[in-house]
Amino acid sequence: MNNFTKIQDKLMEMGASFVGCSDVEAYLPENLKKVKYAITVGVRLSDFIIDQISDKPTYTYFHHYRAVNTLIDQITLRGQIEIQNMGYSAMAVPASQTVNDLEDRYSGVFQHKTAAVKAGLGWIGKNGLFISTKYGPRVRLGTILTDMELPIGSHVVRDGCGSCRICVDSCPAMALTGNSWFAGCDRSHIVDAQACSEYMNRNFKHIGRGSVCGICIRVCPKGFSK
Ligand code: B12
Ligand code: SF4
Ligand code: SF4
């Protein structure tokens, strides 16, 4: 059994719904280039909870969001420890942390979606979210960056949105442009992050401290229960 298979088995045992790997050197800031391989962890969300989102998130969805973030942080922390014990460097990227002193104030240290797409696990939809081939957008993501060499393949998943624009028409903040994503496009080509964030803060502060909405997850037909 190779090192990656060992780690993958651990991550799945701990609750990951899917795992993939990629080389993300080109997308890392200079201080992270040493750990250029990414292990993506996806955790599937509860269909029952997501289906209860209407024109606003629910209190249960907010709790689910936080519980899944904690699970992802536990899974990636455990992976990080295992990889370090094998003699390599590793860093678990926080599941959901905004770094306020970056130039873009709606940004994390590294984008989980980039690694997930590079790993061939899905594509970026018109809602700006990662649409997993298995569960649509009803997943949350985590990443472990490492210098342990991983069995990288060359996978390309084609954009599956087609002419659909349900999420675009359903977004109450009118934050989605309706454009299709392409590798290297600016986020603003797809989504106005400020409009989304300000809408959540203005309207859903009492439900989810302004951090959740989820309508663009709920309405996507790619995520409906199969
Ligand atoms: C800051 C942040 C926000 C901000 C900004 C959102 C944004 N789109 O950037 C605000 C507060 C608005 C927000 C809102 C939401 N968020 Co948020 N957020 C984050 C966070 C912490 C950082 C995102 C970031 O750095 N953005 C910077 C921009 C430039 O990048 P990006 O939008 O991630 O996407 C670009 C790159 O990934 C790149 N890319 C993707 N694949 C590839 C492949 C190649 C080859 C290349 C070159 C580039 C590339 O292209 C994208 C567009 O330019 C991430 C966690 C993380 N560290 O990734 C969660 C995260 C993106 N959020 C998430 C979610 C679910 C939400 C909400 C639905 C809220 C909720 N939970 O109810 C909304 C949805 C808004 C939307 N439609 O995009 C999930 C998405 C899961 C998924 N299935 O995709 C994440 C990944 C958290 C997680 N652990 O799962 N969020
Ligand atoms: S999370 Fe809500 S406000 Fe933000 S883009 Fe999705 S539907 Fe629009
Ligand atoms: S709702 Fe339609 S357009 Fe939006 S992400 Fe899903 S498939 Fe793509």
Side-chain angles (χ1 to χ4, degrees):
M1 198 190 273
N2 66 34
N3 281 343
F4 176 66
T5 311
K6 277 188 212 149
I7 298 290
Q8 186 176 27
D9 288 352
K10 273 256 151 40
L11 303 178
M12 295 295 285
E13 250 170 55
M14 284 194 71
S17 310
F18 55 86
V19 173
C21 59
S22 56
D23 179 338
V24 293
E25 186 175 14
Y27 315 106
L28 291 170
E30 233 15 80
N31 63 330
L32 296 181
K33 291 250 190 241
K34 176 179 171 357
V35 282
K36 66 174 190 169
Y37 296 106
I39 300 178
T40 293
V41 169
V43 171
R44 182 186 185 184
L45 296 171
S46 156
D47 280 327
F48 189 79
I49 293 172
I50 295 292
D51 286 343
Q52 288 177 328
I53 296 173
S54 53
D55 57 345
K56 55 181 180 302
T58 63
Y59 287 91
T60 312
Y61 170 56
F62 181 48
H63 177 74
H64 191 44
Y65 155 94
R66 293 205 289 188
V68 173
N69 280 344
T70 303
L71 176 63
I72 290 172
D73 281 335
Q74 291 295 321
I75 296 173
T76 55
L77 172 63
R78 180 70 180 274
Q80 174 193 281
I81 291 168
E82 295 283 338
I83 294 170
Q84 184 158 284
N85 287 344
M86 290 170 169
Y88 302 95
S89 296
M91 172 185 138
V93 177
S96 192
Q97 182 193 56
T98 302
V99 179
N100 288 319
D101 55 3
L102 290 176
E103 202 180 310
D104 174 350
R105 59 191 257 267
Y106 300 106
S107 194
V109 284
F110 175 72
Q111 286 71 46
H112 301 304
K113 291 184 285 183
T114 302
V117 169
K118 284 282 289 174
L121 297 163
W123 76 92
I124 305 294
K126 287 180 194 167
N127 53 11
L129 297 174
F130 171 71
I131 313 290
S132 84
T133 44
K134 276 191 172 166
Y135 310 115
R138 295 174 176 217
V139 297
R140 289 190 70 76
L141 299 169
T143 312
I144 306 167
L145 297 173
T146 178
D147 58 1
M148 181 176 87
E149 202 166 327
L150 300 173
I152 310 297
S154 64
H155 328 266
V156 181
V157 176
R158 289 177 68 86
D159 178 324
C161 290
S163 59
C164 175
R165 41 178 289 127
I166 295 173
C167 55
V168 180
D169 296 334
S170 307
C171 171
M174 289 184 285
L176 303 173
T177 62
N179 293 327
S180 296
W181 179 86
F182 62 88
C185 76
D186 205 68
R187 173 179 57 192
S188 59
H189 181 67
I190 312 285
V191 53
D192 179 343
Q194 188 175 347
C196 168
S197 177
E198 285 180 356
Y199 189 90
M200 294 194 291
N201 272 299
R202 218 174 25 250
N203 297 283
F204 308 140
K205 193 115 197 155
H206 61 300
I207 302 174
R209 300 193 189 157
S211 304
V212 292
C213 162
I215 294 171
C216 54
I217 300 177
R218 160 74 177 95
V219 298
C220 177
K222 300 294 175 194
F224 288 172
S225 321
K226 290 160 190 103

